[in-house]
Amino acid sequence: MTEAVPKISVRGLHKSFGPKHVLRGLDLDVGVGESLVVIGGSGTGKSVLLKNILGLLQPDRGSIRIDGQEVVGMPRAEREQVNRKFGMLFQSAALFDSLPVWENVAFGLIQGKGMDRKAARELAIEKLADVGLTADVGNLSPAELSGGMRKRVGLARAIATTPEILFFDEPTTGLDPIMGDVINDLIVHCVRQLGATALSITHDMASARKIADRIAMIYHGEIIWHGPVADIDSSGNDYVDQFIHGRAEGPIRMEVRSA
Amino acid sequence: MNPLAAVGRTFLGFLEVAGRLSTFAGISVSHCVRPPFYPRLIWRQIVEIGYYSLPVVGMTAIFTGMVLALQSYTGFSRFNAEGAIANVVVLSITRELAPVLAGLMVAGRIGAAMAAEIGTMSVTEQIEALSTLSTNPYKYLVAPRLIAAVLMLPCLVLVADIIGVFGGYVIAVHKLGFNPAVYLSRSWEVLEPLDVISGLTKAAFFGFLVALMGCYHGYHSRGGAQGVGQATTNAVVSASILILASNYLITEMFFAR
């Protein structure tokens, strides 16, 4: 029997910024249709990992495969084709200020897929409805939206092109707990509806428990533990225990620089 | 500390910036000539750069023309050479003042706006979002601005030429008592196509510089609001200096004997 090719496979990934070695030979697999959440403290390399997979940063060493296809060192045009499989919800939602909400949602359809503006607008309104927003929100400017609404619009934009892989960067950061839970529910709903593979990074354990099939913990640029979400409380790993219980005491030392 | 090391570091830093800017310019220009194009975005920039800059450039031109006529009269009257005012005004405006002043005004208005807008997009992850939506940021953000600025600056300078000469005419005729027909015929006689063409060539190049500096500094801004403010300042200052320096080189190219 042949082993299934992971949707995303990362091997020996290294990335430094000057003297700061952020990723140190990181290995990670995300299976087809799986929702993997990478947890870890601030500055451990979560965002850098995501940006390397998305092609926003070039790794120093290592391999990243999408559907078995190596993407490190791939020519830009081919890389743009691979990126068509992706949808991304940014931490700050990263909505385009100069465009109304509907055009933000329809952006990938119009620019990426060349869809007619009228048809794209109708589809964008449908996607807004999927995330619980009414059609009149489509005419607003992003500056007129609350934090929760911005996340919803960001999510609608991420799913508008029906991507195979969804990335979520700190999806609940900056939201109150109730709105955070609403966003988590929407993420679960959208990922299931699309049948997509999902890779999220967060340090919000409530969010991780809700949206993950599997959790991986990153520390000092390496994955130090991974397993099913149900096993997180009995991981037997002191680092994981300290992190999920939010304890100041433990093997993880916060780097605090004096002024 | 070794002073030579400081000099070396500064020089290497300069080379790094020059290299990064050249690469940015090369990539941006290559996207200006390769499809897909974004006519809607190019049109938006044409309106922003061309139409909305008209009042600023027009006012600059008319007051410059007026002052030039007045000052020329003050100087030339000492040598009984008042008749040369029309020549001085028309040549100064078309060859130098209209392109340089329009370039500087547009650098302040448009270069700053480009740096602030793209800089804000950079620090709020909007440029990264473009990439994840299969849209090349150079093609979407930089190329339309470059194309519009290169097309619109010559148009603005042509308008500034006319308004600037008109400003000189108004002062010469209504304040200094020149005969309108003589003043106009002298202006027309001395003007050669090369005078206007050199001014328009300068304008196109200055437009390129203004848009390039605005986009480059905005694209590479980091560190939140302070970084965007710094990028805006850098865009205006660097574009202004490059306009003044390249003005000399282009003048040398056209008129050196």
Side-chain angles (χ1 to χ4, degrees), chain B residues 227-251:
Chain B
V228 175
Q230 188 67 49
T232 307
T233 307
N234 290 344
V236 176
V237 171
S238 57
S240 302
I241 291 172
L242 285 173
I243 283 172
L244 295 171
S246 60
N247 180 50
Y248 170 76
L249 295 175
I250 299 173
T251 303

Short mmCIF file of all heavy atoms in Angstrom, two decimals, chain B residues 227-251:
data_model
loop_
_atom_site.label_atom_id
_atom_site.label_comp_id
_atom_site.label_asym_id
_atom_site.label_seq_id
_atom_site.Cartn_x
_atom_site.Cartn_y
_atom_site.Cartn_z
N GLY B 227 7.46 54.46 10.60
CA GLY B 227 8.11 54.00 9.37
C GLY B 227 7.45 54.60 8.14
O GLY B 227 8.13 54.98 7.18
N VAL B 228 6.12 54.71 8.16
CA VAL B 228 5.41 55.30 7.02
C VAL B 228 5.76 56.79 6.90
O VAL B 228 5.98 57.30 5.80
CB VAL B 228 3.88 55.10 7.18
CG1 VAL B 228 3.12 55.82 6.07
CG2 VAL B 228 3.53 53.63 7.17
N GLY B 229 5.82 57.47 8.05
CA GLY B 229 6.20 58.89 8.04
C GLY B 229 7.60 59.08 7.47
O GLY B 229 7.83 59.97 6.64
N GLN B 230 8.50 58.21 7.88
CA GLN B 230 9.89 58.28 7.39
C GLN B 230 9.93 58.02 5.88
O GLN B 230 10.65 58.70 5.14
CB GLN B 230 10.73 57.23 8.14
CG GLN B 230 12.22 57.31 7.89
CD GLN B 230 12.82 58.58 8.45
OE1 GLN B 230 12.59 58.91 9.60
NE2 GLN B 230 13.56 59.30 7.63
N ALA B 231 9.15 57.04 5.45
CA ALA B 231 9.12 56.70 4.01
C ALA B 231 8.61 57.89 3.20
O ALA B 231 9.13 58.19 2.12
CB ALA B 231 8.21 55.49 3.78
N THR B 232 7.61 58.58 3.73
CA THR B 232 7.04 59.73 3.03
C THR B 232 8.08 60.84 2.88
O THR B 232 8.27 61.40 1.80
CB THR B 232 5.81 60.25 3.82
OG1 THR B 232 4.94 59.15 4.05
CG2 THR B 232 5.07 61.31 3.05
N THR B 233 8.76 61.12 3.98
CA THR B 233 9.81 62.14 3.95
C THR B 233 10.90 61.75 2.95
O THR B 233 11.32 62.56 2.11
CB THR B 233 10.44 62.31 5.35
OG1 THR B 233 9.38 62.55 6.27
CG2 THR B 233 11.43 63.44 5.38
N ASN B 234 11.36 60.50 3.05
CA ASN B 234 12.43 60.03 2.16
C ASN B 234 12.02 60.11 0.69
O ASN B 234 12.84 60.45 -0.17
CB ASN B 234 12.81 58.59 2.49
CG ASN B 234 13.53 58.49 3.83
OD1 ASN B 234 14.01 59.50 4.36
ND2 ASN B 234 13.60 57.30 4.39
N ALA B 235 10.75 59.78 0.43
CA ALA B 235 10.28 59.80 -0.96
C ALA B 235 10.36 61.21 -1.54
O ALA B 235 10.85 61.42 -2.65
CB ALA B 235 8.84 59.28 -1.04
N VAL B 236 9.92 62.19 -0.76
CA VAL B 236 9.89 63.58 -1.26
C VAL B 236 11.33 64.11 -1.39
O VAL B 236 11.69 64.71 -2.42
CB VAL B 236 9.05 64.48 -0.32
CG1 VAL B 236 9.12 65.92 -0.78
CG2 VAL B 236 7.61 64.00 -0.29
N VAL B 237 12.13 63.88 -0.37
CA VAL B 237 13.50 64.43 -0.38
C VAL B 237 14.31 63.79 -1.51
O VAL B 237 14.97 64.49 -2.29
CB VAL B 237 14.18 64.20 0.99
CG1 VAL B 237 15.66 64.55 0.92
CG2 VAL B 237 13.49 65.03 2.06
N SER B 238 14.26 62.45 -1.61
CA SER B 238 15.09 61.79 -2.63
C SER B 238 14.61 62.14 -4.03
O SER B 238 15.43 62.38 -4.94
CB SER B 238 15.11 60.27 -2.43
OG SER B 238 13.79 59.78 -2.45
N ALA B 239 13.28 62.23 -4.23
CA ALA B 239 12.78 62.59 -5.56
C ALA B 239 13.21 64.02 -5.91
O ALA B 239 13.63 64.29 -7.04
CB ALA B 239 11.25 62.47 -5.59
N SER B 240 13.15 64.93 -4.94
CA SER B 240 13.51 66.33 -5.20
C SER B 240 14.99 66.44 -5.58
O SER B 240 15.35 67.13 -6.55
CB SER B 240 13.24 67.19 -3.97
OG SER B 240 11.89 67.09 -3.61
N ILE B 241 15.84 65.75 -4.83
CA ILE B 241 17.28 65.81 -5.13
C ILE B 241 17.57 65.21 -6.50
O ILE B 241 18.33 65.77 -7.30
CB ILE B 241 18.09 65.10 -4.02
CG1 ILE B 241 18.00 65.93 -2.73
CG2 ILE B 241 19.55 64.90 -4.43
CD1 ILE B 241 18.58 65.25 -1.52
N LEU B 242 16.94 64.06 -6.76
CA LEU B 242 17.18 63.41 -8.06
C LEU B 242 16.67 64.27 -9.21
O LEU B 242 17.27 64.30 -10.29
CB LEU B 242 16.52 62.03 -8.09
CG LEU B 242 17.25 60.96 -7.28
CD1 LEU B 242 16.43 59.67 -7.23
CD2 LEU B 242 18.62 60.65 -7.87
N ILE B 243 15.57 64.97 -9.00
CA ILE B 243 15.04 65.86 -10.05
C ILE B 243 16.06 66.96 -10.35
O ILE B 243 16.38 67.24 -11.51
CB ILE B 243 13.68 66.47 -9.61
CG1 ILE B 243 12.57 65.44 -9.75
CG2 ILE B 243 13.34 67.73 -10.42
CD1 ILE B 243 11.24 65.85 -9.16
N LEU B 244 16.59 67.58 -9.29
CA LEU B 244 17.53 68.69 -9.51
C LEU B 244 18.82 68.20 -10.16
O LEU B 244 19.37 68.84 -11.05
CB LEU B 244 17.81 69.38 -8.17
CG LEU B 244 16.58 70.09 -7.56
CD1 LEU B 244 16.88 70.56 -6.15
CD2 LEU B 244 16.14 71.24 -8.43
N ALA B 245 19.29 67.03 -9.71
CA ALA B 245 20.55 66.51 -10.27
C ALA B 245 20.36 66.07 -11.72
O ALA B 245 21.17 66.40 -12.59
CB ALA B 245 21.03 65.33 -9.42
N SER B 246 19.27 65.34 -11.98
CA SER B 246 19.07 64.85 -13.35
C SER B 246 18.71 65.99 -14.29
O SER B 246 18.96 65.90 -15.49
CB SER B 246 17.98 63.77 -13.38
OG SER B 246 16.77 64.29 -12.91
N ASN B 247 18.14 67.08 -13.75
CA ASN B 247 17.84 68.24 -14.58
C ASN B 247 19.12 68.77 -15.23
O ASN B 247 19.14 69.11 -16.41
CB ASN B 247 17.18 69.33 -13.73
CG ASN B 247 16.85 70.56 -14.56
OD1 ASN B 247 16.25 70.44 -15.61
ND2 ASN B 247 17.27 71.73 -14.09
N TYR B 248 20.17 68.82 -14.44
CA TYR B 248 21.45 69.29 -14.99
C TYR B 248 21.91 68.35 -16.11
O TYR B 248 22.32 68.80 -17.19
CB TYR B 248 22.51 69.38 -13.89
CG TYR B 248 23.88 69.63 -14.48
CD1 TYR B 248 24.23 70.90 -14.94
CD2 TYR B 248 24.79 68.58 -14.64
CE1 TYR B 248 25.45 71.12 -15.53
CE2 TYR B 248 26.02 68.80 -15.23
CZ TYR B 248 26.35 70.06 -15.68
OH TYR B 248 27.55 70.29 -16.27
N LEU B 249 21.84 67.05 -15.84
CA LEU B 249 22.35 66.08 -16.82
C LEU B 249 21.55 66.14 -18.13
O LEU B 249 22.12 66.08 -19.22
CB LEU B 249 22.29 64.66 -16.24
CG LEU B 249 23.20 64.42 -15.04
CD1 LEU B 249 22.98 63.03 -14.45
CD2 LEU B 249 24.67 64.59 -15.43
N ILE B 250 20.22 66.28 -18.01
CA ILE B 250 19.40 66.32 -19.23
C ILE B 250 19.65 67.63 -19.99
O ILE B 250 19.72 67.65 -21.23
CB ILE B 250 17.90 66.14 -18.89
CG1 ILE B 250 17.68 64.79 -18.22
CG2 ILE B 250 17.05 66.23 -20.15
CD1 ILE B 250 16.28 64.57 -17.70
N THR B 251 19.82 68.72 -19.24
CA THR B 251 20.13 70.01 -19.88
C THR B 251 21.45 69.91 -20.64
O THR B 251 21.57 70.36 -21.79
CB THR B 251 20.22 71.12 -18.81
OG1 THR B 251 19.00 71.15 -18.09
CG2 THR B 251 20.46 72.49 -19.44
#
